[in-house]
Amino acid sequence: MRLLGQLRKDEGVKIPDNPDSRYRPIVRAPRVFNGPKNTEKQRKKSYMQKRAVILESHWRKVYSLMSAINTIKKHKEKTVRTKAAERYKKLQEVAAKQERK
């Protein structure tokens, strides 16, 4: 008993072609998005802008220290993100070289 593939090969019969099974490019209409409704730059107000608070000298120092700490933290996070992006880019280049080989 021979398999169907062997019979087709021996007889020289091609595989039946179903046009519904062929791959076709997908045609999509371009999407249109509405622009931003408010063109002004929206910023979150800081604590001091929201409230008219006159801080004592001690609390003013605490607030300025916390602002400085948050600024340092954001700067560190930004450097970590940029280094990670560089590493990812290098890995992508290595992977592309591996695929070419």
Side-chain angles (χ1 to χ4, degrees):
M1 179 173 251
R2 294 185 295 175
L3 298 175
L4 186 61
Q6 291 171 340
L7 286 171
R8 282 197 179 128
K9 183 180 175 186
D10 294 339
E11 300 295 324
V13 177
K14 293 187 176 184
I15 299 173
D17 185 28
N18 186 358
D20 290 338
S21 299
R22 291 188 194 146
Y23 287 104
R24 303 184 279 276
I26 298 171
V27 179
R28 292 189 177 111
R31 295 175 65 175
V32 179
F33 296 98
N34 295 332
K37 292 181 182 178
N38 189 1
T39 57
E40 296 177 13
K41 186 175 182 182
Q42 296 177 350
R43 284 186 60 191
K44 187 177 175 183
K45 290 186 177 181
S46 70
Y47 178 77
M48 296 301 282
Q49 290 172 340
K50 287 182 196 174
R51 291 161 182 83
V53 177
I54 299 171
L55 298 175
E56 296 176 11
S57 64
H58 168 73
W59 292 111
R60 196 174 322 126
K61 290 177 185 175
V62 169
Y63 179 76
S64 64
L65 178 66
M66 290 302 293
S67 295
I69 289 172
N70 284 332
T71 303
I72 292 169
K73 179 185 169 199
K74 287 180 184 178
H75 181 69
K76 283 183 182 178
E77 288 176 352
K78 186 177 180 181
T79 56
V80 166
R81 272 183 278 157
T82 55
K83 286 182 181 180
E86 289 173 6
R87 268 189 274 125
Y88 180 74
K89 190 174 182 180
K90 286 181 183 178
L91 286 174
Q92 291 295 325
E93 290 172 1
V94 169
K97 286 181 183 178
Q98 292 290 336
E99 282 186 13
R100 284 188 226 143
K101 289 184 179 180

